[in-house]
Amino acid sequence: DVKVTQSSRYLVKRTGEKVFLECVQDMDHENMFWYRQDPGLGLRLIYFSYDVKMKEKGDIPEGYSVSREKKERFSLILESASTNQTSMYLCASSPGTGENSPLHFGNGTRLTVT
Amino acid sequence: SQKIEQNSEALNIQEGKTATLTCNYTNYSPAYLQWYRQDPGRGPVFLLLIRENEKEKRKERLKVTFDTTLKQSLFHITASQPADSATYLCALDQSGGGATNKLIFGTGTLLAVQP
């Protein structure tokens, strides 16, 4: 089974801090994604990557950046955390694109910014 | 832009009955549509995919239908069990053609199966 591991389940940070959320997948998947999930808004795509050192903006990239130095690891960076970034963050991976490549999600990091 | 609508109200049903969840999309018909299950405090887990040229897809007690005329997919769980209680999300590829894996998700419907 594919395993997508997010390093922290819960995180509490202060406004203005730089925050790193780490995600590692163990199945040599090409693609990795970061979503945030908020009540009433569902999952929204922040950034994604189709290859090492490659990144593309999703639907809500403002206030975030990402890093993919190795194929298995995709990091989400909050440059200066704000209270409106309090959310559940979900990392996902897929072997490719198209119908044979559903997303495999980690169990999320619940981030609170105070 | 494409939007997905799922009933935000929780669906409460009795054990043994069939649960039916609805997913409507507003714009282009996607090449395929996916359904995921999410348990509290966990990430979504992929369940089923149905292509636009398929009317129906089954997997054990699960059945999904896809009506491109109505722009709707229905997700059925037959002989429901309390263990089926979870939030169910539908998703489709933003590109329409399914080539990107940039998925749009609905907000999900919470299913509660009472023993």
Side-chain angles (χ1 to χ4, degrees):
Chain A
D1 260 1
V2 177
K3 196 157 180 197
V4 179
T5 303
Q6 295 184 232
S7 54
S8 305
R9 291 300 304 272
Y10 300 94
L11 216 48
V12 180
K13 296 291 180 182
R14 293 198 183 276
T15 302
E17 276 193 79
K18 190 168 186 175
V19 181
F20 293 86
L21 302 184
E22 306 288 348
C23 175
V24 177
Q25 49 94 4
D26 66 358
M27 284 298 289
D28 202 35
H29 280 180
E30 298 294 325
N31 306 330
M32 296 189 76
F33 305 82
W34 276 106
Y35 284 85
R36 65 177 280 177
Q37 186 174 29
D38 301 286
L41 296 176
L43 280 85
R44 292 179 290 167
L45 182 62
I46 305 171
Y47 265 97
F48 61 102
S49 169
Y50 288 144
D51 201 354
V52 176
K53 296 195 190 293
M54 178 269 183
K55 60 186 178 188
E56 286 201 35
K57 293 179 180 178
D59 301 314
I60 51 163
E62 296 78 21
Y64 303 95
S65 63
V66 290
S67 171
R68 195 166 180 203
E69 294 296 316
K70 293 186 178 181
K71 190 174 186 179
E72 67 270 18
R73 187 179 296 269
F74 194 35
S75 303
L76 180 69
I77 303 155
L78 286 65
E79 297 290 343
S80 176
S82 63
T83 54
N84 63 11
Q85 292 178 310
T86 291
S87 187
M88 169 71 94
Y89 289 88
L90 290 160
C91 174
S93 70
S94 70
T97 57
E99 64 180 63
N100 295 317
S101 297
L103 298 189
H104 299 261
F105 283 88
N107 281 328
T109 296
R110 186 166 291 283
L111 172 67
T112 302
V113 183
T114 60
Chain B
S1 61
Q2 183 74 285
K3 283 197 170 86
I4 294 179
E5 293 162 357
Q6 292 186 259
N7 193 343
S8 57
E9 289 182 18
L11 179 64
N12 291 290
I13 65 165
Q14 209 64 33
E15 183 175 6
K17 300 289 187 190
T18 296
T20 299
L21 286 70
T22 305
C23 173
N24 295 296
Y25 55 93
T26 58
N27 204 343
Y28 54 83
S29 279
Y32 55 83
L33 191 144
Q34 302 179 27
W35 283 88
Y36 289 76
R37 169 185 172 139
Q38 186 174 23
D39 291 288
R42 316 283 273 194
V45 174
F46 172 74
L47 294 175
L48 272 174
L49 177 149
I50 186 164
R51 299 180 188 86
E52 63 176 334
N53 61 354
E54 295 175 321
K55 291 273 194 276
E56 183 179 295
K57 193 84 164 275
R58 289 177 187 262
K59 181 182 175 183
E60 297 170 355
R61 292 184 297 110
L62 308 181
K63 183 178 88 170
V64 174
T65 62
F66 195 1
D67 188 327
T68 55
T69 303
L70 293 178
K71 296 189 176 182
Q72 182 179 82
S73 175
L74 298 179
F75 179 84
H76 306 271
I77 306 176
T78 58
S80 59
Q81 303 164 3
D84 295 326
S85 299
T87 297
Y88 292 86
L89 307 167
C90 73
L92 51 84
D93 196 295
Q94 288 189 21
S95 75
T100 68
N101 260 25
K102 290 169 56 181
L103 297 186
I104 305 168
F105 284 85
T107 53
T109 298
L110 175 62
L111 173 65
V113 182
Q114 311 296 335

